[in-house]
Amino acid sequence: KGTIEEEHEATAECPRCEGDGEEPCEACEGEGKKDGTDCEVCKETGVTKDADGEVLDCSLCKGVGEAAVTLKRDVKCPDCQR
């Protein structure tokens, strides 16, 4: 084959909150609407709130809006080219 898999750590926009840092509503998937009608769970906001009405931080990125990802790619094997 002559290739090896190389891994690289990076940060990217959080796939859960799409960079907003807020926990999306599970019922409407953060859209504010479900099946064409206003979401009753989040009151059309698209986010999850606590009992005091405060928007919760995204459970994946902890409110930062970015998440660590591992990028993988195939590269030529340096030992195979000798």
Side-chain angles (χ1 to χ4, degrees), residues 13 15 22-23 25 38 44 47 49 67 74 78 81-82:
E13 180 181 88
E22 301 173 337
E23 183 68 18
C25 173
D38 298 341
E44 300 176 68
V47 294
K49 297 181 180 181
D74 290 331
Q81 300 193 15
R82 293 182 182 171

Side-chain angles (χ1 to χ4, degrees), residues 13-78:
E13 180 181 88
C14 178
R16 182 164 179 81
C17 69
E18 298 178 343
D20 292 334
E22 301 173 337
E23 183 68 18
C25 173
E26 293 282 338
C28 66
E29 298 176 348
E31 296 298 319
K33 293 190 179 292
K34 183 176 181 177
D35 300 325
T37 59
D38 298 341
C39 180
E40 294 293 321
V41 176
C42 68
K43 308 289 189 247
E44 300 176 68
T45 63
V47 294
T48 303
K49 297 181 180 181
D50 65 13
D52 296 325
E54 297 291 320
V55 176
L56 297 176
D57 286 343
C58 174
S59 59
L60 181 63
C61 70
K62 309 298 184 227
V64 177
E66 294 181 335
V69 294
T70 301
L71 304 175
K72 297 179 182 181
R73 66 181 183 155
D74 290 331
V75 296
K76 291 183 179 179
C77 174

